[in-house]
Amino acid sequence: MIRPGLLLMIAILSSFLNPVAAQSTEEAIRFIEKAEAQLLEETIASDRAAWVQANFITYDTQFISAAAEERLSLAGVELAKEATRFDKLQLEPELRRRLDLLKQVLTSLAPSDPKLARELAQIAAKLKGMYGEGKYCPSGKSGDDCLDVNEITKTFAEVRDPGQLLDVWKGWHSIAPPMRVDYKRFVELQNQGAKELGYQEVGSFWRSKYDMPPDDFAAELERLWTQVRPLYESLHCYVRAKLGEKYGTKIVPQDGPIPAHLLGNIWAQDWSNIYELVAPADADPGYDLTKIIQSKNLDAKEMTRIGEGFFVSLGLDPLPKTFWERSLFTKPRDREVVCHASAWDIDQVEDLRIKMCIEPNGVDFRTIHHELGHNFYQRAYNQLPFIYRQGANDGFHEAIGDTIALSVPPTYLKQIGFIQTEPPSSKDIGLLLKDALGGVAFLPFGLLIDQWRWKVFSGSVKPEDYNKSWWELREKYQGVSAPVARTESDFDPGAKYHVPANVPYTRYFLARILQYQFHRALCETAGYKGVLNRCTIYGNKAAGERLKKMLEMGISRPWADALEAATGERQMDGTALLEYYAPLKSWLEKENEGRKCGW
């Protein structure tokens, strides 16, 4: 990589040969360095304000966060527009990449009109605050008897009464209708900002961030989904049959979608909580990760220390002291916070944090690894120019922690003293099924969130059809249906954090593909020869070095280069996921014989 100072020297030297072009090149270098410094300053200020707002939800913190986000957004839009002055200039590849990335740095595109930009920032803060404060209060209850998203998540993990689940499902989704009018305006303002930057609408802007034309990226997603869809359909068919046995075929028809409230998760995106309803006979591996964590009385920090230990075992440095001082690990008793797990890099160098209301269970144990993956990635590229301090694409960032989570099979649990003996390979079907209820069941959900938003941004879905389109896509991709009739007085997309928070979601689908691809390659690097689902890279420095090489690249090169550094391949590929679950797929096909699959 050519460093900025070297580029400047080249520009000055070449001025003797071509003074006009050299002057323009020098101007471009000075512009990008000044732009990155300004964006770094505004990003830090915005992140600090957002951290406070997420941890102390009040009218004033929302206002402060909105003001900081407004300044960042306006600066980003202004600099992106200014960067277009250099579009036709012949520049060194690195300088050209930095300028191009500058035009894509933001997610929310504010209009250039300061009044409209302020309105957008205020709506953004308001929507996030509405979600963070969202609670379901059962009939006749109030105050401490109301359920926040963490308590609702726990309810769906533990309760099996369909009536109670339906009641809580309706209750949580009732937080979203007040967002609908604001969201409509939010879309209008963002689209105006996108058009000012030369994009048709926000969706095409989001899809332009993958080192390929937006339409090509959309086609790439369909290719990947086509690869893995047969496995999902087999899993769906099996789970539907088992739920029909549990609840009856009147509640779970065997030729249609599955009602969304019966899958163990408020969004039906992860089905692992219903494992005991669908588990094969004699598949119990002999341990329960949640019970192990609870029997050891591990608190939130201790669980996080174990997650850190995995990354350190690969040769990565421990997290800084400030991480343990400044992170939020548990929900405070005295105030409302946004409990949705997230990783933060406040100063873009070493002020790494997580914000998470950790519960002592297996799901949160894995989520900790996921969030720490972000932190270790953030630190690995912190010496690059600011514009490069991102994942190779946003799917890479989400995949890193999940790759590590794949390396926590029984082999690893034995290594860290969680279990004494590994279950025999005959228990693998049960283990794979439990993993698939999370990793495979999520795939269509990871795809459809942005499919919906892209249609909304483009105008092909009008505001009067927001909810109708949402459920059409959920049935099309997931084979999941609303458990009760929904109308346009509802706004069910708003009950999912990433919609009101305006966080692109395709990254999570890509992460599910990439994590298995990374896992396969790192296992090969570690010299592992067995079945893929039994591999752990814990303690393997060779695998850690290969991973570190990719992490340190940030987004300084196209994502295909980063993928090649980690895997030796230049195309995202779902075959690693299929290889990981191959024994389960064969078993599911036998189980589903005689059943009518599909919906």
Side-chain angles (χ1 to χ4, degrees):
M1 181 180 73
I2 301 175
R3 303 298 295 178
L6 182 56
L7 285 172
L8 182 57
M9 291 173 60
I10 294 170
I12 294 171
L13 180 62
S14 62
S15 66
F16 293 102
L17 301 175
N18 189 343
V20 175
Q23 184 179 8
S24 297
T25 300
E26 182 179 350
E27 182 183 2
I29 294 169
R30 289 176 174 170
F31 166 75
I32 191 63
E33 290 181 342
K34 181 180 179 181
E36 288 186 11
Q38 182 180 352
L39 282 177
L40 174 59
E41 181 179 351
E42 296 290 358
T43 296
I44 292 172
S46 180
D47 283 352
R48 290 195 188 283
W51 176 265
V52 173
Q53 189 264 333
N55 286 279
F56 299 86
I57 302 174
T58 69
Y59 170 83
D60 292 310
T61 59
Q62 289 182 32
F63 185 88
I64 293 168
S65 179
E69 188 169 340
E70 176 190 347
R71 289 192 298 272
L72 173 60
S73 184
L74 280 174
V77 170
E78 185 176 319
L79 292 169
K81 290 177 180 177
E82 193 173 350
T84 61
R85 294 191 294 113
F86 306 101
D87 282 353
K88 296 183 180 180
L89 193 64
Q90 293 295 319
L91 299 170
E92 291 286 339
E94 188 203 16
L95 181 55
R96 168 54 58 204
R97 183 166 182 81
R98 288 169 70 188
L99 287 166
D100 288 344
L101 289 172
L102 177 62
K103 292 182 288 186
Q104 300 174 347
V105 70
L106 298 176
T107 297
S108 296
L109 297 176
S112 55
D113 184 328
K115 181 179 178 181
L116 297 179
R118 185 173 303 111
E119 182 185 1
L120 178 66
Q122 290 171 347
I123 291 175
K126 180 181 178 182
L127 288 170
K128 284 188 281 188
M130 291 170 75
Y131 185 92
E133 293 177 308
K135 287 187 175 183
Y136 161 54
C137 299
S139 179
K141 303 293 181 66
S142 62
D144 293 340
D145 293 319
C146 296
L147 306 179
D148 64 16
V149 68
N150 258 31
E151 292 161 328
I152 283 174
T153 298
K154 186 177 181 181
T155 297
F156 269 79
E158 298 174 353
V159 172
R160 294 294 168 260
D161 175 71
Q164 184 179 351
L165 290 171
L166 179 59
D167 186 56
V168 176
W169 189 95
K170 292 189 294 183
W172 176 250
H173 283 76
S174 70
I175 75 163
M179 302 177 188
R180 188 184 181 105
V181 173
D182 286 317
Y183 191 78
K184 175 178 178 290
R185 181 61 174 160
F186 189 62
V187 169
E188 293 170 352
L189 291 170
Q190 284 200 88
N191 274 343
Q192 183 171 335
K195 289 174 182 176
E196 290 179 11
L197 281 179
Y199 295 93
Q200 292 181 341
E201 35 76 30
V202 176
S204 61
F205 168 69
W206 283 7
R207 293 191 300 276
S208 71
K209 297 185 177 188
Y210 295 92
D211 296 307
M212 62 177 66
D215 289 345
D216 289 358
F217 178 65
E220 178 72 354
L221 293 178
E222 284 300 319
R223 181 186 68 81
L224 293 169
W225 171 237
T226 299
Q227 281 187 306
V228 299
R229 183 175 58 198
L231 175 58
Y232 176 79
E233 291 177 344
S234 292
L235 180 66
H236 180 281
C237 188
Y238 173 79
V239 168
R240 183 178 62 189
K242 289 296 180 180
L243 291 179
E245 293 173 9
K246 167 69 177 178
Y247 296 111
T249 56
K250 287 186 177 180
I251 294 178
V252 189
Q254 295 301 292
D255 58 355
I258 300 171
H261 66 308
L262 300 177
L263 288 161
N265 175 270
I266 186 63
W267 306 284
Q269 70 180 61
D270 183 323
W271 305 349
S272 54
N273 286 321
I274 62 165
Y275 174 71
E276 76 277 6
L277 300 183
V278 302
D282 303 321
D284 181 5
Y287 71 89
D288 181 312
L289 185 53
T290 294
K291 290 181 179 178
I292 291 171
I293 292 168
Q294 293 173 351
S295 69
K296 291 180 176 292
N297 293 315
L298 296 178
D299 64 23
K301 280 193 176 182
E302 289 169 332
M303 290 170 65
T304 307
R305 289 281 187 190
I306 294 171
E308 178 197 36
F310 201 120
F311 290 89
V312 172
S313 82
L314 300 178
L316 303 178
D317 292 334
L319 293 162
K321 180 182 177 182
T322 54
F323 172 88
W324 303 101
E325 298 169 343
R326 299 171 184 171
S327 292
L328 178 78
F329 298 101
T330 57
K331 183 181 179 183
R333 295 182 178 181
D334 62 341
R335 65 184 190 273
E336 297 299 328
V337 300
V338 177
C339 274
H340 185 86
S342 55
W344 299 63
D345 182 11
I346 299 293
D347 67 352
Q348 300 292 310
V349 183
E350 277 286 308
D351 192 353
L352 305 169
R353 310 177 191 181
I354 62 170
K355 178 187 60 58
M356 184 176 172
C357 301
I358 297 172
E359 297 287 342
N361 59 52
V363 172
D364 280 9
F365 185 75
R366 288 176 176 269
T367 302
I368 288 167
H369 286 78
H370 173 91
E371 298 304 336
L372 293 184
H374 288 299
N375 288 142
F376 279 94
Y377 204 164
Q378 288 161 341
R379 186 169 60 183
Y381 55 56
N382 68 9
Q383 298 302 307
L384 296 175
F386 170 70
I387 208 71
Y388 288 158
R389 297 179 199 176
Q390 307 174 55
N393 68 39
D394 53 10
F396 277 64
H397 233 305
E398 298 299 335
I400 296 306
D402 286 338
T403 299
I404 300 303
L406 290 177
S407 267
V408 294
T411 307
Y412 166 69
L413 298 179
K414 182 182 178 183
Q415 286 176 304
I416 64 172
F418 271 30
I419 59 176
Q420 298 303 310
T421 58
E422 291 183 52
S425 59
S426 61
K427 302 293 187 180
D428 278 3
I429 293 301
L431 292 169
L432 284 170
L433 178 60
K434 192 164 189 177
D435 285 347
L437 292 171
V440 176
F442 175 83
L443 288 166
F445 189 81
L447 195 63
L448 71 87
I449 299 283
D450 282 350
Q451 297 288 333
W452 179 80
R453 278 192 288 203
W454 294 345
K455 292 176 182 293
V456 168
F457 287 138
S458 71
S460 62
V461 169
K462 306 296 182 186
E464 57 267 26
D465 291 322
Y466 277 172
N467 228 46
K468 176 185 175 184
S469 175
W470 173 256
W471 284 106
E472 286 175 348
L473 287 169
R474 294 201 66 178
E475 290 198 19
K476 173 184 176 181
Y477 284 102
Q478 275 189 294
V480 165
S481 61
V484 291
R486 310 305 282 166
T487 71
E488 292 306 321
S489 64
D490 300 304
F491 184 56
D492 294 331
K496 176 62 181 171
Y497 169 81
H498 299 74
V499 174
N502 204 45
V503 178
Y505 210 76
T506 299
R507 62 184 64 178
Y508 301 104
F509 173 78
L510 296 178
R512 284 296 192 275
I513 300 295
L514 287 166
Q515 70 186 70
Y516 294 94
Q517 198 169 355
F518 290 157
H519 181 62
R520 180 171 65 183
L522 294 175
C523 288
E524 291 171 354
T525 300
Y528 179 76
K529 302 296 184 182
V531 293
L532 195 54
N533 62 285
R534 283 269 174 157
C535 171
T536 179
I537 61 169
Y538 178 72
N540 191 279
K541 298 298 192 295
E545 187 60 32
R546 187 166 194 177
L547 177 64
K548 184 179 179 182
K549 181 180 179 182
M550 187 267 285
L551 299 181
E552 290 176 341
M553 293 172 69
I555 199 172
S556 64
R557 303 291 302 162
W559 63 260
D561 292 355
L563 181 64
E564 186 174 27
T567 69
E569 302 165 330
R570 295 186 61 82
Q571 187 178 51
M572 291 183 283
D573 183 15
T575 62
L577 182 149
L578 298 178
E579 180 181 339
Y580 186 93
Y581 290 107
L584 177 65
K585 180 64 160 60
S586 297
W587 181 84
L588 287 171
E589 288 175 351
K590 291 179 181 178
E591 288 292 309
N592 288 332
E593 287 179 0
R595 292 173 180 157
K596 181 181 179 182
C597 295
W599 55 87

